[in-house]
Amino acid sequence: MYKLVKGRFGYAVRVVGGTQARWARQKLSGRGEQEALGQVVVPIARHFTSLHNTRGALLRLPEPRYSAPQRGIGMLVARVLRGALKIRYLLLGGSIAGGSALAKTYEQWKEALPDAKFLEELLPSQEDLDSIRASLITYRDKIKDSIPEFSLDPKLWEAGEEGYSQVAQWFKERLDDAIQAAEEDKKSGSSIFSDDFSPDLKQHALSFTSMGGSAEKEREKADLLRMRLSQLEAELQEKTDHFTKELASVVHENADLKQKIQSNDNIREKYESLQEELMQVQLKYQREIERLEKDNKELRKSLMLRAGDKVARKKVKKSLIDMYSEVLDELCDYDSSYDTQDHLPRVVVVGDQSSGKTSVLEMVAQARIFPRGAGEMMTRAPVMVTLSEGPYHIASFKDSTREFDLTKESELAELRKEVELRMRNSVRNGRTVSHEVISMTVKGPGLQRMVLVDLPGIISTVTTDMAADTREAIRSISQQYMSNPNAIILCIQDGSVDAERSNVTDLVSQMDPQGKRTIFVLTKVDLAEENLANPDRIRKILAGKLFPMRALGYFAVVTGRGNQEDSIQDIKDYEESFFSSSRIFKGGVINSHQCTTRNLSFAVSERFWKMVRDTVEQQADAFKATRFNLETEWKNNFPRTRELDRDELFEKARGDILDEVVNLSQVSPKQWEEVLSKKMWEKMATYIFENIYLPAAQATSSGTFNTTADIRLKQWADQMLPRRCVEVGWETLQDEFRKFIERAKNSKDHDTIFDNLKACVVDEAMRRHAWEDKAADVLRVIQLNALEDRSVSDKQQWDAACHFLEESVKEKLTATESTLREMVGPGTWEQWLYWTYPSEDQKRRATVRAELEKLLATDYNHKNTLTYDEVTAVRKNTQSCGVEVDNEFIREMWHPVYRRHFLRRALAKAYDCRKAFYAYHQGLEGELGVECNDVVLFWRIQQMFKITANALRQQVMNREARRLEKEIKEVLEEFGCDQEKKEQLLTGRRVLLAEEMKRVRQIQEKLEEFIHALNAEK
């Protein structure tokens, strides 16, 4: 009653009439509560004159106007509906979002709401709500940690949102109607109270008077209102049932989700355990294979020792991969630019500098065969490594027979030095990298058969100690090898550096945008795991989602611990231990088949041989077509010529040159001596006339002549004669050999293609040849003895001496007269006959010559010099003729004029001495007035020439010709080893065509042999 009086539930007791109001106060409370009841029990005056007809909203009551404003039943219904709506909203929102604010909101509104016990059967208890809320919070946290991308089912969310929107719209419409009715009721100040409104109101309401006819109408309206309220309660019950079912569905789905999460956790734990178990099994399997390979190696060694090394080596040499490597070597020599004809597969290893590509190659080869450097460029040229299986772990170069034992550290160090030396020698002309390929073979037990090409690392900056075009040259080499459509690109990426610093991935994506022949390898994964806080980045790399490139496969390897002294076995053990304990592997970031260099080598080898089988026959057909085209061109252009390549042509030229050397021995001794004597006289005639004969002829007596001649001959023989004779002998040998070469050019079978080669070989051999030093000393003794003899023993020798003197003087006289003719110009006869005229200078010289001839005519035995008076007289005589000359001009003309006069006099004396042998032999020269000292002098010189020619002939035939042949052979050997020299000397389309045909035939034959062996292995 107190609560009812206080209006705790929002109700007020309204009594009609003042007396009834006082009575109600007395009945409801005692005296102490009179003042409080005065605020609740309000007297209402009747208004019988103006009753209003209610035509308002659905929940609006009939409107008889009363004087005092009171709360109506519409407001009560509105508050009930509002509380129920908030309860439904809070329950549904708390169920979906976690129920975090349900308890607090419920406690705040529980006291302000009317009794709603009829909802307790429909709604769960508070303990159930707390339990659901706690479980939802727990599920939310677990789902958030385990499944970051979890979201509510869109269908469930749409259904809940749609139902909620419908209920909210329905309640909003009803609530607006109730609020409007309450506001109108409040404005009109009327209210009604019925004891039949509801069971709760019957307990708290009082009726003190009868309403009469008006009250009946109002009661009917109240009945209508109760019916409408019943409908509202039914609809509210229906909505409550619907949302309760949805809440149960959500709870059920959360339970299923929790079960799925639990199941997923169990599956993940099983997956991790299986993955770790698989890794252990794989490592165990790998160790077992290595043990078996080691046992197999020892077994094969023992079998080879029993069966013999030759048979075993022959089998290893003819292995499949070695045959394929020989084909690639032929292609490297045939076409170093790798044009469209060379599309055979290779494994091209590319990567940034210091990314670990060489270390990957060493791990695959199972030996540290390359030079190392800390941050320095070590790979300066392409290195083609052919891996093949063999009983011994050895390495060898293509152009060397030495085999390096890779099990010994000393030979490994020598191999690394040899590789570094070859790389540095291949770099020429100030460049940093080279296109020359260094080819080597590595054999060993358990090696995967393939051909790999290690390229220089790609750089982004050119340092001061590099050539300016180093970066472009490296990219050009890499693009050249990767442009082969059948090349397998092994892209090496350093995992310890930022992905944004990679240069190789962009280059690889340009050359192979679809990734159909690229294998990506992430190195230094151990450093990557230490440096990267987010393992998801490594997962993206190995999934192909980080770099702008595609690949056939992705691998993660560890190729070292930073210690250069670690062996391959140490690195392999470290790699296995790392992947077995790595959180990247255990966390499912990468799969087991994507780890270790062993799996990488298996995958690369498998892909390599698949590519070989798919493309090798096409390459063989291409070379077959090329061979047919070349042979057709040869038949059309050189129909009757044998196909000789450059090496074969060189060998043919070698034989021709050596044949010409042999022909030197066919020259007779007499021919050699005549040629030598003639050449010696040509070289020494001027000296003999000017320095020996002419000074001696100025003597007035025979004794003075002989004394002067002896002195001059002795000086000549001591100083220059032996050396000049040796030069004459060497020049004669060259001239005779060249005559044979020139004579061969006129033969019917001469081939002009050899001319440059023969000439170059002869010139080089002559340049190197040097006459023996002691030959000059031997000649000096012989010549001095010959010149000391002044006794002509018989008439034949005398006549020969006279003839030699005459011929020598005539030859010299002819040369002198020719010189004078050039100096004085044409004579009168020549001027009339040939219409030629002398110049002014020649006219002056002719005038001077005439005066000098007059001088010599007056003094037949004139000395070979002019006195000053004679020069002055000649000058004055020429001036009188109108010609001005100086003294030097006169002396210049005196030299040839006197030489002609002297030679004419010597010739006349030679004619006189022809029959003076008897007088000479009897010593009657003085009595007969004949001086034959000139004949004796020339006889001595002639005899010296004969003896010297004989000595030189013996030297040439017995020693110098053989030495020349030896030097020619040495030159031919050097040229034969110098390919550039042969290409320079043997040129032309014929040579190039023969060379190309030979290479194409060799490649085609080797390809066919390889294909046959490959099909046999299948």
Side-chain angles (χ1 to χ4, degrees), residues 35 42 325 513 540 573 587 709:
E35 295 180 1
V42 181
S325 179
K540 289 183 178 179
D573 295 340

Side-chain angles (χ1 to χ4, degrees), residues 499-513:
E500 291 76 12
R501 294 167 56 186
S502 175
N503 298 313
V504 67
T505 52
D506 293 336
L507 184 60
V508 171
S509 63
Q510 295 175 7
M511 304 307 298
D512 185 22

Side-chain angles (χ1 to χ4, degrees), residues 249-263:
S249 177
V250 171
V251 173
H252 180 69
E253 289 181 359
N254 288 334
D256 292 342
L257 180 60
K258 179 179 179 182
Q259 185 177 359
K260 290 180 181 179
I261 293 173
Q262 185 67 27
S263 176

Side-chain angles (χ1 to χ4, degrees), residues 489-623:
I489 303 173
L490 201 61
C491 179
I492 309 299
Q493 172 63 36
D494 189 351
S496 62
V497 300
D498 297 335
E500 291 76 12
R501 294 167 56 186
S502 175
N503 298 313
V504 67
T505 52
D506 293 336
L507 184 60
V508 171
S509 63
Q510 295 175 7
M511 304 307 298
D512 185 22
Q514 301 300 324
K516 294 182 179 180
R517 51 190 180 90
T518 301
I519 297 177
F520 183 87
V521 182
L522 185 66
T523 61
K524 305 178 184 179
V525 187
D526 53 342
L527 299 179
E529 185 179 21
E530 294 178 3
N531 299 333
L532 292 178
N534 184 13
D536 186 62
R537 192 172 180 84
I538 298 179
R539 183 186 63 79
K540 289 183 178 179
I541 293 175
L542 296 178
K545 298 181 179 179
L546 188 61
F547 289 107
M549 58 168 290
R550 298 179 181 180
L552 287 171
Y554 296 83
F555 290 86
V557 298
V558 177
T559 57
R561 295 181 293 182
N563 187 5
Q564 296 183 357
E565 303 300 326
D566 286 346
S567 64
I568 295 296
Q569 188 60 42
D570 295 338
I571 299 174
K572 289 171 65 177
D573 295 340
Y574 172 70
E575 185 183 36
E576 292 176 4
S577 62
F578 168 76
F579 282 114
S580 62
S581 59
S582 172
R583 57 186 173 89
I584 299 178
F585 181 82
K586 286 186 175 182
V589 175
I590 54 179
N591 298 322
S592 60
H593 67 274
Q594 294 180 267
C595 305
T596 72
T597 52
R598 185 175 185 82
N599 291 335
L600 172 65
S601 61
F602 279 132
V604 174
S605 177
E606 181 181 358
R607 186 64 186 176
F608 170 76
W609 283 108
K610 183 180 183 302
M611 190 78 75
V612 168
R613 292 185 177 93
D614 293 341
T615 59
V616 67
E617 292 186 358
Q618 299 176 2
Q619 291 297 302
D621 294 339
F623 278 103

Side-chain angles (χ1 to χ4, degrees), residues 4 39 92 208 245 375 404 410 496 554 567 588 658 673 827 830:
L4 180 62
Q39 300 175 2
L92 181 59
F208 298 97
K245 291 178 181 179
F404 296 87
S410 59
S496 62
Y554 296 83
S567 64
L658 294 178
E673 291 179 5
E830 292 176 346

Side-chain angles (χ1 to χ4, degrees), residues 883-946:
V883 178
E884 290 291 338
V885 294
D886 57 5
N887 293 343
E888 291 298 328
F889 189 84
I890 296 171
R891 287 190 174 91
E892 183 180 353
M893 284 301 301
W894 167 255
H895 181 78
V897 171
Y898 180 79
R899 293 302 183 275
R900 185 180 65 173
H901 172 74
F902 171 76
L903 292 172
R904 287 175 177 176
R905 189 177 66 181
L907 184 60
K909 189 181 290 186
Y911 289 154
D912 294 340
C913 292
R914 286 179 179 178
K915 299 180 181 179
F917 175 72
Y918 178 75
Y920 167 76
H921 190 68
Q922 297 297 327
L924 302 174
E925 295 174 295
E927 296 178 0
L928 297 176
V930 179
E931 295 291 339
C932 296
N933 296 322
D934 301 1
V935 176
V936 176
L937 174 63
F938 274 83
W939 178 81
R940 295 167 68 183
I941 293 173
Q942 185 183 27
Q943 290 302 113
M944 184 270 297
F945 280 160
K946 287 182 180 180

Side-chain angles (χ1 to χ4, degrees), residues 926-990:
E927 296 178 0
L928 297 176
V930 179
E931 295 291 339
C932 296
N933 296 322
D934 301 1
V935 176
V936 176
L937 174 63
F938 274 83
W939 178 81
R940 295 167 68 183
I941 293 173
Q942 185 183 27
Q943 290 302 113
M944 184 270 297
F945 280 160
K946 287 182 180 180
I947 295 173
T948 302
N950 185 34
L952 289 174
R953 188 264 305 169
Q954 294 179 5
Q955 181 75 14
V956 169
M957 296 182 67
N958 297 334
R959 299 186 63 83
E960 299 304 326
R962 295 180 181 178
R963 292 179 62 235
L964 178 62
E965 181 180 4
K966 181 180 179 181
E967 288 167 352
I968 289 176
K969 289 181 178 179
E970 291 177 355
V971 173
L972 288 172
E973 288 294 333
E974 291 181 6
F975 283 10
C977 298
D978 190 350
Q979 190 66 28
E980 294 181 358
K981 199 72 174 180
K982 289 191 290 186
E983 292 176 358
Q984 178 183 355
L985 298 175
L986 294 173
T987 58
R989 179 56 186 168
R990 170 185 160 190

